Amino acid sequence: MFERHSHLTSTLTAGNSRRSFLKGASAAGVSLALPVGFASSLVAGAAQAATTIKATHGSGLCNLAFFLVKKRELAKADGVNLDFVVTPTNADIATLFGAGQVDMSVIPYSNFLTLYDAGAPVKIVAGAGVDGCILIAKEGIKSAADLKGKTLGTFQADTLEVLPYDYLKKAGLSFKDVKVRYFNTSPELAQAFNAGAVDAICHIEPYATQCLTTRKGSTILSDGSDVYGTHYSDCVLAVRTPLIEKNPQAVKAVIKAMMLAQSQAEADPDAALRDTVGTYYKTTMEAAKLAASKQPIMIDQRKNKQFILDRGQSMKELGYVKKLAPAAAIDWTLLEQVIAENKALYAGLKLKSMA
């Protein structure tokens, strides 16, 4: 999930938030006419030591592999460097990616579906993280029925909005039965829950575990598995099609590096957290360690293709997309090439589709 920067006082009503997000996504589609030179930071040629890819990222543990690729320079051996671009808001991330000012992003599948619907030339090429979307409620709230009339905090057009929507729908309820407030940063949302400003939140790890340990009596209403099953998709690696067409080897280098990061994190999770807590995760090592197993890395998410496409119906009902994305929006071709070319690495991964 993306790091979102704003203030508690700027939270919006559900309708206004959706309209503002859709406006930003549409702007991303319109801005595709920007000059190609402005849209990409790729550096190529014999005089250059490596290709540099500008990218955006989120703030949850689903981004851990991406962070390790950057921190440990895991793609450097294949001639690729990542250049992370920090953006002030979620809408800005969508606009930058859709307009081509960055070429790659670890992004919630929900944000991807919104961009794709707006006309951005983007594709999902690999997974990033699974599970880890946690719906938490204050003391006394034990079921979906108990949420009626209560205030729910989440992020707009996010997997953290889709889960509570689907959770309530499964129980015969809807967002009309709750008061939805939208926040813009992971620490802000956690702070609001811990301070009692909202009755329930849907959050990612490691912040969800931080909330559970901070606010006494709080309860997990859903960890997603009761609604979706195990190892459901959260964040994915999305890439602009011009980069895929121009430099598929660079994209493959990043996918391979993310698989290597998964292997390293599975072998030594504490070392992976030491490299990222503080820099990328604004939480304690203790909370991060407790949360790590709840939102693991899974780069091969081929089994989740239909799951992602099916969530488009919820996004449509929420008003974020007009039409469902086709199967072609997700292309595992480069992932499958990386798997075929790195059989030992792939064989050693604990989490994978086994397709």
Side-chain angles (χ1 to χ4, degrees):
M1 277 32 134
F2 295 112
E3 189 66 16
R4 304 147 173 100
H5 303 274
S6 77
H7 303 283
L8 285 172
T9 54
S10 68
T11 53
L12 306 171
T13 64
N16 288 338
S17 291
R18 291 179 190 137
R19 284 193 292 272
S20 64
F21 186 88
L22 287 168
K23 181 178 179 182
S26 297
V30 171
S31 61
L32 295 177
L34 287 171
V36 174
F38 180 71
S40 174
S41 68
L42 284 176
V43 179
Q48 300 295 335
T51 293
T52 297
I53 299 176
K54 281 191 179 295
T56 53
H57 60 77
S59 62
L61 281 173
C62 59
N63 291 263
L64 182 57
F66 212 38
F67 294 155
L68 290 175
V69 171
K70 169 70 171 176
K71 173 70 175 181
R72 297 176 176 177
E73 299 184 325
L74 299 182
K76 191 172 183 179
D78 289 315
V80 174
N81 292 320
L82 285 180
D83 180 14
F84 285 163
V85 177
V86 178
T87 55
T89 69
N90 188 12
D92 289 332
I93 291 172
T95 300
L96 283 176
F97 186 43
Q101 295 177 44
V102 298
D103 292 301
M104 179 179 289
S105 184
V106 166
I107 190 173
Y109 67 75
S110 51
N111 292 140
F112 170 84
L113 292 173
T114 305
L115 278 177
Y116 191 91
D117 186 69
V122 292
K123 287 183 181 292
I124 292 173
V125 298
V130 292
D131 302 335
C133 297
I134 315 292
L135 180 58
I136 304 168
K138 70 176 184 179
E139 58 280 2
I141 299 177
K142 304 294 183 181
S143 67
D146 293 337
L147 281 175
K148 292 187 68 174
K150 301 299 192 297
T151 302
L152 168 70
T154 186
F155 300 134
Q156 61 181 0
D158 202 290
T159 55
L160 296 178
E161 183 179 11
V162 177
L163 173 57
Y165 178 82
D166 288 345
Y167 171 80
L168 289 170
K169 185 177 180 180
K170 184 179 179 181
L173 301 171
S174 73
F175 271 10
K176 294 180 180 179
D177 295 302
V178 297
K179 301 172 184 176
V180 183
R181 292 183 64 189
Y182 291 94
F183 295 82
N184 289 316
T185 74
S186 293
E188 173 189 83
L189 179 57
Q191 180 186 3
F193 180 74
N194 292 335
V198 292
D199 302 308
I201 59 171
C202 194
H203 217 332
I204 47 168
E205 295 294 3
Y207 302 97
T209 292
Q210 187 181 55
C211 289
L212 283 168
T213 57
T214 300
R215 185 164 180 176
K216 303 304 180 184
S218 55
T219 303
I220 294 179
L221 297 181
S222 174
D223 64 0
S225 63
D226 54 316
V227 181
Y228 302 138
T230 58
H231 299 155
Y232 60 89
S233 183
D234 177 21
C235 287
V236 294
L237 178 65
V239 181
R240 286 179 54 82
T241 52
L243 175 59
I244 296 173
E245 294 167 356
K246 180 179 180 180
N247 197 342
Q249 291 302 317
V251 179
K252 287 173 62 176
V254 174
I255 296 173
K256 174 186 172 184
M258 290 180 69
M259 286 176 55
L260 180 57
Q262 177 181 339
S263 176
Q264 292 177 353
E266 288 175 346
D268 193 344
D270 287 356
L273 293 176
R274 284 194 299 270
D275 277 352
T276 53
V277 170
T279 302
Y280 297 109
Y281 300 121
K282 308 306 179 184
T283 187
T284 64
M285 271 295 295
E286 290 72 17
K289 287 180 180 181
L290 286 172
S293 63
K294 301 175 185 177
Q295 192 169 39
I297 300 169
M298 186 171 169
I299 307 307
D300 173 18
Q301 288 191 34
R302 287 175 290 176
K303 78 178 190 69
N304 283 333
K305 180 172 183 175
Q306 195 58 49
F307 167 82
I308 295 170
L309 295 173
D310 289 347
R311 300 284 71 71
Q313 182 59 42
S314 297
M315 294 291 289
K316 187 176 181 181
E317 293 170 6
L318 283 164
Y320 290 117
V321 302
K322 295 179 180 178
K323 58 185 181 299
L324 303 183
I330 303 174
D331 187 350
W332 304 127
T333 301
L334 297 182
L335 170 67
E336 290 173 342
Q337 290 178 13
V338 171
I339 291 171
E341 294 164 6
N342 299 274
K343 294 180 180 179
L345 172 61
Y346 181 72
L349 299 179
K350 295 178 181 178
L351 288 185
K352 50 197 173 187
S353 291
M354 300 295 291

